[in-house]
Amino acid sequence: MAVTKVARAAEPMRRWEDMRATTGFLDFLAEATMDVDDIREEADRLHDAAGGSFHLAKTVEAEARATCVHALKQAYELLPEFKVPGGGARPDLYAAMADIRREAAEAAASPLTHLPGSGPKRETAPPPGDAAMSPALRDIRMRISSLPHADDSYWDPPGDDEERARWISHNKEVLRAAARHAGLPDELVAGIAWKEIGGQYGFTDDLTDTVRGAADSPLGPVPARDLPWRLGGTPDETSFGPIAIQLRRGAEVLGYDPAHLTDAQRDLVEESLQDPEQNAFIAAGFLARIKTEAGYGDVPAEQLTHAQMREIAARYNGGPYWQSGKAQDYGDDFGDALGKVKDAMR
């Protein structure tokens, strides 16, 4: 029986804790008239059983919710955008469904169905599931097959502006193709590349991924998030490629569910991010998503202003914390380098 007011108002698991130990003076008086050792062992056993069941229920619910939210998000992104002139009532989607299906069938076979500023067409193919190669990745690999080979910076990243300009100039055809595929200005993709290619060596990404993976294993002595310095973080938060992209963000761009990647899919995403040509297309796809999230999804590439591109750069660096000082500095540095970027892209 819970004696104190706090114990009576506590959640069920906290009440078990109260039974397993003397938690106050009133508890001591209540236990003085009984042999608590007779019930404490049974209370411990029931507490452990209840805790295990609670954890299992919580895990099952969290996984189910994550799966449902991901599926709903994919379905939502495939819906066309309806705008009612004059701010009138919402359209009757149910009544219009037959027409929507007919239009979708016609648009699927038409290369002309592409609004300015809307980025690459999203395929209506089912999610890749357990298959390794997603439709989006297959499309990227088809596109890069006709492009010149790009410079890699795995072992020797550019160290100054002159080397950055040389890297951008050599890879300008790939960067330009990636930008146009995503409905972005050439200088936006190339400007982000300018900022990112001077980062850490590529092999340090592999080292970070290996250390995080070891820490994330059941035998890891320290949780991956608690590792020191830049090592702290989960394996799927590791960035790869000349234009640094976190593995989970690359997976999203390629149409995978980052929360349920198979080993084969994870290896394929990592391999694609480390290839400079595929990396440029994935980075451009991620920037296109940020452009939409910033509210500029319907702005054609040639109409995107410098201020809007600075904001997209800050969002690229800071994510949900894009208004922080560090992310804003990143956006300012991006804007300041645009002149050099445009010269290198000529």
Side-chain angles (χ1 to χ4, degrees):
M1 178 181 297
V3 177
T4 65
K5 181 179 179 180
V6 174
R8 289 197 299 271
E11 63 181 14
M13 291 299 289
R14 189 60 60 86
R15 295 182 191 176
W16 281 106
E17 294 288 352
D18 186 62
M19 291 180 63
R20 298 171 67 209
T22 301
T23 56
F25 180 68
L26 293 178
D27 248 11
F28 174 77
L29 294 179
E31 294 172 359
T33 59
M34 61 171 54
D35 187 0
V36 294
D37 291 334
D38 288 345
I39 66 169
R40 188 153 288 159
E41 182 177 348
E42 180 69 2
D44 285 340
R45 186 186 67 79
L46 292 173
H47 173 273
D48 293 340
S53 298
F54 179 75
H55 177 72
L56 177 61
K58 182 179 178 181
T59 302
V60 170
E61 187 273 340
E63 291 182 352
R65 182 175 68 250
T67 301
C68 290
V69 168
H70 178 74
L72 287 171
K73 182 179 178 182
Q74 284 189 319
Y76 177 79
E77 290 177 349
L78 290 173
L79 284 174
E81 182 178 359
F82 291 94
K83 294 183 178 179
V84 181
R90 293 183 179 181
D92 186 350
L93 293 181
Y94 182 79
M97 191 57 66
D99 290 333
I100 292 174
R101 292 182 184 276
R102 178 178 54 78
E103 291 292 338
E106 293 178 2
S110 173
L112 302 178
T113 311
H114 189 289
L115 295 175
S118 62
K121 290 172 63 177
R122 292 186 61 81
E123 302 295 337
T124 55
D130 291 334
M133 182 76 71
S134 70
L137 180 55
R138 186 177 295 109
D139 177 64
I140 288 175
R141 294 195 170 185
M142 289 288 291
R143 290 177 182 276
I144 66 173
S145 62
S146 60
L147 294 173
H149 184 69
D151 270 352
D152 198 356
S153 56
Y154 185 83
W155 294 106
D156 187 21
D160 54 33
D161 286 358
E162 183 178 349
E163 292 181 358
R164 284 188 177 90
R166 190 157 50 243
W167 191 96
I168 295 292
S169 179
H170 182 86
N171 297 324
K172 61 185 178 182
E173 295 302 323
V174 173
L175 295 171
R176 190 172 288 126
R180 291 177 180 174
H181 176 57
L184 300 173
D186 297 353
E187 61 266 29
L188 175 57
V189 178
I192 295 296
W194 179 283
K195 285 287 298 174
E196 295 294 332
I197 57 177
Q200 61 185 13
Y201 292 89
F203 65 83
T204 61
D205 295 335
D206 289 334
L207 177 62
T208 300
D209 184 56
T210 301
V211 173
R212 287 178 175 177
D216 205 43
S217 68
L219 299 179
V222 179
R225 288 191 177 279
D226 295 336
L227 291 170
W229 192 52
R230 298 178 65 178
L231 293 174
T234 67
D236 288 346
E237 292 174 340
T238 307
S239 296
F240 293 98
I243 307 176
I245 299 285
Q246 287 187 354
L247 189 137
R248 56 176 178 163
R249 300 305 183 199
E252 290 174 350
V253 172
L254 295 176
Y256 299 102
D257 179 2
H260 299 91
L261 284 175
T262 65
D263 290 340
Q265 290 171 345
R266 191 183 190 283
D267 291 343
L268 193 59
V269 173
E270 181 177 332
E271 171 192 322
S272 302
L273 286 173
Q274 290 182 321
D275 176 74
E277 292 97 358
Q278 297 176 68
N279 173 262
F281 275 81
I282 297 171
F286 184 43
L287 286 168
R289 288 185 170 218
I290 296 175
K291 174 173 175 276
T292 300
E293 292 170 0
Y296 310 133
D298 57 351
V299 179
E302 64 276 8
Q303 296 180 17
L304 207 64
T305 67
H306 280 198
Q308 290 169 338
M309 287 192 286
R310 281 175 184 251
E311 179 183 335
I312 292 172
R315 288 176 178 270
Y316 180 90
N317 177 261
Y321 310 105
W322 66 275
Q323 292 180 309
S324 66
K326 179 182 177 182
Q328 290 297 309
D329 289 343
Y330 184 98
D332 291 341
D333 291 344
F334 163 87
D336 294 342
L338 276 181
K340 299 176 183 177
V341 171
K342 290 179 180 179
D343 288 342
M345 288 290 286
R346 291 194 179 98

